[in-house]
């Protein structure tokens, strides 16, 4: 089940966010991500966030949007490779006309994931890739 985030979900969301960034971005020091926690916690509360819940109510992942910008999509380590990220992305794509996001160029796994879901690279530099998606007409 996918539903909007409740205020009580925030601690779990933050745990998933931190663990996922540490896993996916080994090329960036762990302290960087820990230092971002307060700002991200504030940003998440201002964003539109959808949570993927397992049948037992456990939050397995989430996707956050700021308007048409996909600010992040994260799945807890133990639930990866089960299609949850794809379901979250499809969920927001069905509710959007267009989406954009940025990913680290070194995170090829993420870039490939988004490309498989119809995103195309619109810009890139040495560090990052900007991807866009538009709903089919």
């Amino acid at each position: 089940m996918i539903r909007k985030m409740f205020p009580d979900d925030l601690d779990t969301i933050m745990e998933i966010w931190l663990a996922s960034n540490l896993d996916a971005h080994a090329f960036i020091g762990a302290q960087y991500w820990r230092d971002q926690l307060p700002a991200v916690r504030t940003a998440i509360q201002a964003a539109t966030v959808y949570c993927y819940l397992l049948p037992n109510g456990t939050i397995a992942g989430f996707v956050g949007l700021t308007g048409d910008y996909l600010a992040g999509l994260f799945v807890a380590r133990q639930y990866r490779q089960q299609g949850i990220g794809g379901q979250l992305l499809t969920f927001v794509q069905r509710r959007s006309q267009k989406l954009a996001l940025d990913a680290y160029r070194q995170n090829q796994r993420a870039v490939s994931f988004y490309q498989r879901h119809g995103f195309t690279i619109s810009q890139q530099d040495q560090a990052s890739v900007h991807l866009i998606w538009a709903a089919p007409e």
Side-chain angles (χ1 to χ4, degrees):
M1 176 176 95
I2 298 174
R3 63 151 170 83
K4 276 195 171 183
M5 179 184 86
F6 297 150
D8 289 349
D9 299 333
L10 189 56
D11 288 340
T12 301
I13 295 290
M14 293 307 301
E15 290 170 13
I16 293 169
W17 178 87
L18 179 59
S20 296
N21 275 301
L22 292 172
D23 290 347
H25 305 113
F27 50 91
I28 297 174
Q31 192 57 46
Y32 170 81
W33 299 110
R34 290 185 184 96
D35 290 344
Q36 300 307 308
L37 280 167
V40 171
R41 187 177 189 89
T42 299
I44 283 176
Q45 293 175 80
T48 302
V49 178
Y50 295 100
C51 301
Y52 183 99
L53 274 67
L54 300 174
N56 67 5
T58 299
I59 296 173
F62 72 96
V63 61
L65 298 165
T66 304
D68 293 333
Y69 186 77
L70 198 155
L73 190 158
F74 302 93
V75 177
R77 181 181 299 124
Q78 64 268 39
Y79 303 115
R80 293 182 194 149
Q81 302 299 312
Q82 297 179 29
I84 293 170
Q87 288 180 56
L88 283 164
L89 185 54
T90 299
F91 181 86
V92 296
Q93 284 176 310
R94 287 184 179 151
R95 287 157 178 74
S96 305
Q97 289 301 305
K98 62 181 180 173
L99 293 169
L101 65 95
D102 292 291
Y104 286 102
R105 193 172 182 164
Q106 286 182 276
N107 189 354
Q108 269 306 303
R109 188 170 168 199
V111 173
S112 296
F113 168 81
Y114 290 114
Q115 288 179 311
R116 284 193 309 275
H117 286 87
F119 283 75
T120 57
I121 295 172
S122 67
Q123 294 176 298
Q124 58 185 322
D125 59 30
Q126 289 183 335
S128 64
V129 177
H130 185 75
L131 297 113
I132 57 172
W133 171 85
E137 295 182 14

